[in-house]
Amino acid sequence: RSAPSARAARMVRLLKSGHVELTALFGNLTTELCGHEALARATYHAARLARKYDVPIVSAEHNDIPGFAWGLSEVLAAAGVRMFCPGLPLYYAWGGASYPSFWDERGVFGRAGIPGAFWWESPSGRRILFWCNNRGCGGDYRSSLPGLPEKLRDFKEKGYPFDVLRWPVSGGARDNSPYIPDYAETIRNWNRKWTWPRLVSSTNARFYSDLTRRCDLTQLPVRRGDVPGQDY
């Protein structure tokens, strides 16, 4: 509403091109404190832009809140969202501590210490794909992506079941940081040097498209109910 018209028009072009993605939720709500109306209205802002500019909404993100009310799955499914990608904080691992986390990764995903997914079924029976990187609420914040080969090798040894991976990045070791353009140069240099695995500067929507096209998700577990929060 307040951006210069040329800048707003450029953003709309980027959204339509698929290089930038509009995701469903507004802010990072503590959903256990929300009623149905508040949960539904959390999608209104993105939905208004999607209708006005005819851009799709494929995914929803959430960050730094360890828990979700079951009603959120109903709201997202009803809004047409196909994938939920929360960044779940690992507070219990801070400072080298090894206290139990707020959920059992092995019990939820079948494996621990690697990214995973399940179908989150809403009270009405509709399902969305719940994707979690299981490595904290942030992402890589150094544009050189240090340690990526070792981490990919570790995922493979632990039984990572897919041949595509969502690797979140941010602009710094802080909240609400922008994308660093240097990531693009790192990705270009990686792909010039290595044939496989190939890195792609991408979005949730493009990842979802690749994942559903290349991988059989029919055998993923189905989970119903809340993801219970703790320290919030």
Side-chain angles (χ1 to χ4, degrees), residues 7-211:
R7 186 169 183 174
R10 181 168 181 261
M11 175 56 73
V12 171
R13 289 195 297 272
L14 287 170
L15 289 169
K16 287 181 174 292
S17 74
H19 292 305
V20 175
E21 181 180 356
L22 175 66
T23 57
L25 292 175
F26 177 81
N28 295 310
L29 299 173
T30 304
T31 56
E32 292 124 319
L33 302 181
C34 297
H36 297 113
E37 183 72 12
L39 289 178
R41 286 179 178 270
T43 67
Y44 280 18
H45 306 283
R48 176 179 59 83
L49 294 172
R51 287 193 300 268
K52 183 174 181 179
Y53 298 112
D54 190 28
V55 295
I57 296 179
V58 175
S59 75
E61 289 202 351
H62 202 272
N63 195 60
D64 208 13
I65 308 288
F68 305 101
W70 192 14
L72 183 62
S73 64
E74 191 72 60
V75 166
L76 294 178
V81 173
R82 296 192 284 280
M83 181 174 68
F84 182 39
C85 302
L88 301 179
L90 303 177
Y91 295 128
Y92 306 98
W94 285 11
S98 58
Y99 301 114
S101 187
F102 54 89
W103 64 358
D104 175 7
E105 288 181 20
R106 190 173 300 279
V108 172
F109 298 101
R111 300 170 178 85
I114 60 175
F118 58 85
W119 294 109
W120 195 16
E121 188 170 272
S122 73
S124 69
R126 288 182 284 197
R127 296 175 180 177
I128 61 172
L129 184 69
F130 190 115
W131 179 274
C132 186
N133 271 54
N134 289 319
R135 51 188 291 261
C137 59
D140 214 320
Y141 57 88
R142 293 158 295 185
S143 60
S144 61
L145 302 177
L148 179 57
E150 292 78 13
K151 183 60 67 174
L152 294 176
R153 189 178 302 114
D154 178 62
F155 288 171
K156 182 178 180 180
E157 291 173 353
K158 291 179 178 177
Y160 181 71
F162 309 112
D163 64 355
V164 289
L165 172 69
R166 176 181 177 270
W167 188 266
V169 298
S170 62
R174 59 183 176 85
D175 291 340
N176 306 313
S177 53
Y179 180 83
I180 298 175
D182 291 351
Y183 284 122
E185 188 64 33
T186 295
I187 290 168
R188 182 182 296 113
N189 291 336
W190 173 292
N191 291 332
R192 284 172 176 168
K193 184 175 182 179
W194 309 107
T195 301
W196 182 89
R198 182 172 179 81
L199 301 187
V200 180
S201 182
S202 190
T203 61
N204 291 337
R206 288 179 172 177
F207 168 73
Y208 178 82
S209 176
D210 285 343
L211 184 69

